[in-house]
Amino acid sequence: MRFFMRKIVIVVVLAYGIFSLYAAYNVFFNKRVVSRVHRVVKKGSATLDIGKAGEEEWNPWEADEREQSIVVQKNRDAFRSYQDRVAKNRPKRYNVQIWGKAAIGLYLWEHILEGPLNPPDRSSQWREGEIQSGKINFSFYTGPAVVQGHVSLDTDSGVLVLNGRVQQKISYSIQWLQYVQGLVQAHSLSRVAVVLLGNEQCNNDWISPYLKRNGGFVDLLFLVYDSPWVNDKDIFQWPLGVATYRNFPVVTLSSQMVNSARPYLCNFLGTVYKNSSRETLMSIFKQKGMEKECLMLAREKWFPQETTDTSRKYQMALAQSDLTLCPVGINTECYRIYEACAYGSVPVVEDVLTPGACSADNRSPLRLLKDAGAPFIFLKDWRELSAILEKERGMSQNEKAERRMRLLEWYNGFRQQMKDKFTEVLEDAFFKVS
């Protein structure tokens, strides 16, 4: 038993000595070989010393990482290219502010551009709204509280709506033009257009020095009435529109408005001026006994403001008449024409020139409306009215309804046409958009 234990001890000691000698040989004499699988780069190490290490350390995932990095970079480049294409193809938009300092500004904004106004209350001191048309973002400001220096500018392009009908209005308009001129000189504004309710005899010389063609700063002028200045280059004719200063509303079209039989053949509610054709019209009514067929209400003095009652009666007359008689006043173009269109009552227009300079060619008066193909009844003398009413009596209800629809469709198309023209002219003149 003792002999057997000695052999075991000798074998263990011998094995230990052999292993020790083998380990010492590998450490001191044998060249170290490191498996490629176990070579790693130490975290945080600096550049490899090739002379000391013998060779660069190898990363088994290096090829995969390089390939993945290339794919990621290609995806990034593709996304950037996509963003560039989207930005290039996205329609560029421009900002234009409109300052409404005359009542026709509301016709431009609510009836032509069909923009909203907040607050809706017409008596509010400050009202504003925004709308897009074409490539332009329009913002509109109106009301007594919209005064010089109190409208923040977020654009260098502006439209100023002014009244130049009488001297008092002209003086007020000049104050605004001088204020805007200061903004141009200070480089706060660089492009300016004016929408002007011109004088009814087309005497508008007071604004001439402000036009760019005469050394001023106004790039574009949209002018009411048949002025000989209109050239469709920098001066354009603009419609008078409805009497927004009397709070005439935006009328909503309904099937009842189109199809219902109307109790009156015609209407005329207005002021009868001395020695005017309106006196002739009233005398014809009395002679022919038309009072029962037509709704007539004449007054001798013009009132600038309507009461709630008179406004309601006037709109009711338009809505209940097949025809609206439109005798000339100081100018042939009058609010009544557009207000009749809004209610589908065909305007019977006295097609004669009024005194003054509002004539450019043989298309005057009402050049703008005639060029747009207005489906009105034109006459030169109110003695022609009897024959017109006789024809009306012979029309069926279906014929009248079809004619009414044509008028309403024309008026909607006319307003759209003016909206497109206004937008396109500003785009071309202000921003060179083709």
Side-chain angles (χ1 to χ4, degrees), residues 138-158:
F138 285 107
S139 54
F140 180 77
Y141 302 92
T142 191
V146 177
V147 296
Q148 299 165 18
H150 285 74
V151 183
S152 59
L153 276 172
D154 60 0
T155 176
D156 62 354
S157 304

Side-chain angles (χ1 to χ4, degrees), residues 246-249 251 269 308 310-320 343:
R246 290 182 172 179
N247 297 325
F248 193 89
V251 181
L269 281 69
T308 302
T310 58
S311 178
R312 181 185 60 81
K313 287 181 179 178
Y314 175 64
Q315 293 175 41
M316 182 190 69
L318 298 175
Q320 294 185 349
Y343 276 99

Side-chain angles (χ1 to χ4, degrees), residues 24-44:
Y25 172 78
N26 279 320
V27 171
F28 295 106
F29 300 101
N30 193 22
K31 185 177 180 180
R32 183 170 60 180
V33 178
V34 180
S35 171
R36 292 176 67 88
V37 176
H38 293 85
R39 284 181 184 167
V40 296
V41 178
K42 292 182 180 179
K43 185 177 180 180

Side-chain angles (χ1 to χ4, degrees), residues 67-81:
E67 183 177 350
Q68 184 179 6
S69 177
I70 292 173
V71 171
V72 170
Q73 188 60 43
K74 285 183 177 179
N75 290 338
R76 287 175 179 171
D77 292 342
F79 183 66
R80 289 195 189 100
S81 178

